[in-house]
Structures are given as structure tokens and as C-alpha cells.
């Protein structure tokens, strides 16, 4: 290998130049390793100092400046010069490397931090989506009777003394009535014009009324599952024919349009 003591001047000159160019940002790439530079230097020597111009005017901040300077220092110089340039370059490299390593580590840390943050955000979103789909699945309602034939809508005026407070599903006496949603039976008894009425309270406090039944299939306190048969269609109470009258009372309060409520829970 090449081995010689570099002239002090050459080293100083290089060091000074390096100092003036030390304002590089953290994104500077690493310079090629010393063996690569040696190869380039050898090439520069062989083509006879063509690159020396770069020695006079320091190159702009580019990734190639280190290479061209190293090469130019060798152009037309003696063997000793070659070695000195190499050593100098190595020194520059190690300084750069230290700087670059620190910057690289910072970038790495930042990138890892971002990646972790990203992964965490995605995980949260996935969790939310999963939770939401669970809520939706729980909240999905089912038709109490099928096929669905609506015979009277909410708010209509007809044989009722006031406007219709529910939604009527056509059905024959004895047809099975299915629970629209999960809940607890809080009432199952005859109630005047409503006839045999079952009230199921859902988890969110909404009360669903099933009216005019010919038979009850559940009792107060029972937990019912969506789709479960809770009674049979009838014509009890104030009716002109067999059908199921359904009412929806959010929070147990005033009735709202069951059609809209059902739409909000995936029906119609
Ligand atoms: Zn009705």
C-alpha cells in the first residue's frame, strides 16, 4: 500500500477548505469510501490533471465535490501528493461520517418515530372501524314480518282519532312476529286500542311497541334477541283487520316515525 508522511501544508489547506464547506445540512450523503476515491484519483492522474480547476474554485455543495477535489488534488502531482490527498480525504470522510452518522441517526429516529406513530394511528383507526362495525351489527334491525307490506304510515289520518303514531305491517292472524332488535321485555299486556301489546326496551333506551297481537310469546323481564319470535299477529284492540302496529319511542318518550328509525338501522 501507499505510505508516506503528508506535507503539513497540504493537509492544512485541505482542512481549511473543509472548514469553509462545513455548512452542509444534515441530509448530506456519505462520500465514497477511500478505496473508491483512490480509484478515481488514479483515473484523474491518468488523464493528466484535467480536474484541477476544481481545486481553485471550490465546488458547490454537491455530493461530487469531495470526489472531484480529491481527484484534482492528485492531478499532475507526485506520488507523495497522492498519498497526502488520500489521507486528507480520509480525514474529511471521517469527519463527514461522524456528522453524517449523527444526522443519519436523527433521521432514523425521526423516521422510526413517524412509523410508530403511523402504525399506532392505523391501529386506532382499525380499532375504531371494528368497534363501529360492531355497533352497527348490534344496531341493525330486522323486519318484524315478512314479506314487508306496509298498510299505514306514521302521521297518517284515518280511522284513528288522531294521527297514526306507528307503522302498520300487513299480516294474518297467527303470523309470527320477530323481534326487530335485541332488548328486554318491559311490558306484555292488553292496552286498550293497542290490543295485546309487547314493549321491548333496547340498550339505548328506545322502546319498541308491538301491537294488536293474537298471542304473546314472551313475558316481562325476558331478554329477546333480534329475529326471535315474540308473539303472533292478531286483530286485538282498535283495528279493522289483522296487522302488526309498530311504534318507536326513543328513550321511552314520544313516538317517532318507525320507518325513519328503521332506515337508520339498515332497513328499507
Ligand atoms: Zn297502526
Amino acid at each position: 500500500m501507499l505510505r508516506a508522511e503528508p506535507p503539513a501544508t497540504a493537509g492544512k489547506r485541505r482542512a481549511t477548505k473543509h472548514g469553509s464547506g462545513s455548512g452542509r445540512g444534515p441530509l448530506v450523503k456519505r462520500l465514497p469510501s477511500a478505496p473508491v476515491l483512490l480509484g478515481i484519483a488514479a483515473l484523474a492522474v491518468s488523464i493528466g490533471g484535467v480536474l484541477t480547476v476544481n481545486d481553485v474554485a471550490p465546488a458547490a455543495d454537491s455530493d461530487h465535490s469531495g470526489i472531484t477535489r480529491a481527484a484534482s488534488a492528485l492531478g499532475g502531482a507526485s506520488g507523495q501528493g497522492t498519498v497526502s490527498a488520500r489521507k486528507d480525504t480520509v480525514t474529511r470522510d471521517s469527519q463527514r461520517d461522524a456528522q453524517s452518522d449523527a444526522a443519519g441517526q436523527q433521521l432514523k429516529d425521526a423516521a422510526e418515530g413517524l412509523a410508530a406513530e403511523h402504525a399506532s394511528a392505523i391501529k386506532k383507526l382499525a380499532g375504531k372501524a371494528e368497534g363501529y362495525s360492531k355497533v352497527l351489527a348490534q344496531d341493525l334491525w330486522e323486519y318484524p314480518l315478512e314479506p314487508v307490506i306496509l298498510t299505514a304510515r306514521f302521521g297518517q289520518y284515518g280511522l284513528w282519532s288522531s294521527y297514526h303514531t306507528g307503522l302498520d305491517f300487513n299480516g294474518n292472524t297467527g303470523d309470527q312476529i320477530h323481534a326487530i332488535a335485541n332488548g328486554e321485555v318491559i311490558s306484555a299486556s292488553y292496552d286498550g286500542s293497542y290490543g295485546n301489546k309487547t314493549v321491548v326496551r333496547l340498550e339505548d333506551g328506545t322502546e319498541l311497541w308491538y301491537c294488536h297481537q293474537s298471542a304473546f310469546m314472551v313475558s316481562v323481564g325476558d331478554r329477546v334477541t333480534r329475529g326471535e319470535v315474540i308473539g303472533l299477529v292478531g286483530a286485538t284492540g282498535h283495528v279493522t283487520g289483522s296487522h302488526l302496529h309498530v311504534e318507536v319511542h326513543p328513550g321511552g318518550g314520544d313516538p317517532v316515525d318507525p320507518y325513519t328509525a328503521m332506515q337508520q338501522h339498515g332497513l328499507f
Side-chain angles (χ1 to χ4, degrees):
M1 283 296 286
L2 295 164
R3 179 176 59 79
E5 206 49 45
T9 49
K12 265 181 187 165
R13 189 163 58 88
R14 288 286 149 207
T16 305
K17 258 192 186 162
H18 173 61
S20 69
S22 64
R24 288 169 181 274
L27 284 169
V28 67
K29 289 180 186 169
R30 288 189 189 192
L31 289 168
S33 63
V36 171
L37 287 173
L38 261 187
I40 294 167
L43 180 67
V45 169
S46 73
I47 58 176
V50 169
L51 297 170
T52 49
V53 63
N54 283 316
D55 204 25
V56 179
D61 248 47
S62 82
D63 294 328
H64 304 294
S65 61
I67 299 167
T68 50
R69 278 190 220 167
S72 66
L74 300 171
S78 68
Q80 255 195 348
T82 302
V83 173
S84 90
R86 180 174 70 91
K87 186 176 180 186
D88 180 46
T89 303
V90 169
T91 304
R92 286 160 49 96
D93 271 356
S94 54
Q95 286 174 348
R96 279 270 173 82
D97 282 354
Q99 191 181 23
S100 181
D101 281 350
Q105 190 55 45
Q106 278 177 359
L107 283 174
K108 196 167 168 251
D109 289 348
E112 279 171 1
L114 276 177
E117 216 171 278
H118 191 61
S120 152
I122 284 177
K123 207 174 170 186
K124 266 186 207 165
L125 280 177
K128 263 189 187 173
E130 197 185 330
Y132 185 58
S133 66
K134 270 183 191 163
V135 166
L136 276 183
Q138 276 182 350
D139 263 9
L140 281 181
W141 286 5
E142 205 168 291
Y143 293 112
L145 282 179
E146 290 196 72
V148 176
I149 301 163
L150 302 178
T151 51
R153 301 285 293 266
F154 183 85
Q156 280 185 345
Y157 289 87
L159 63 100
W160 311 280
S161 53
S162 59
Y163 76 95
H164 192 222
T165 51
L167 184 64
D168 288 354
F169 290 80
N170 190 34
N172 298 315
T173 295
D175 286 352
Q176 293 183 330
I177 300 167
H178 301 269
I180 294 168
N182 299 344
E184 183 187 350
V185 177
I186 60 168
S187 167
S189 62
Y190 187 83
D191 182 18
S193 60
Y194 289 107
N196 290 324
K197 180 183 83 175
T198 297
V199 178
V200 176
R201 184 165 58 210
L202 312 186
E203 262 183 38
D204 68 358
T206 299
E207 292 179 7
L208 299 182
W209 293 14
Y210 303 83
C211 308
H212 313 310
Q213 298 176 66
S214 59
F216 295 107
M217 308 283 281
V218 290
S219 312
V220 173
D222 284 353
R223 302 283 313 175
V224 299
T225 306
R226 182 183 64 197
E228 179 182 338
V229 176
I230 59 166
L232 302 178
V233 173
T236 56
H238 186 28
V239 296
T240 55
S242 64
H243 72 278
L244 173 67
H245 171 96
V246 171
E247 291 197 6
V248 177
H249 297 250
D254 291 337
V256 297
D257 187 350
Y259 189 89
T260 307
M262 287 178 174
Q263 277 187 321
Q264 288 165 353
H265 292 275
L267 298 182
F268 297 115

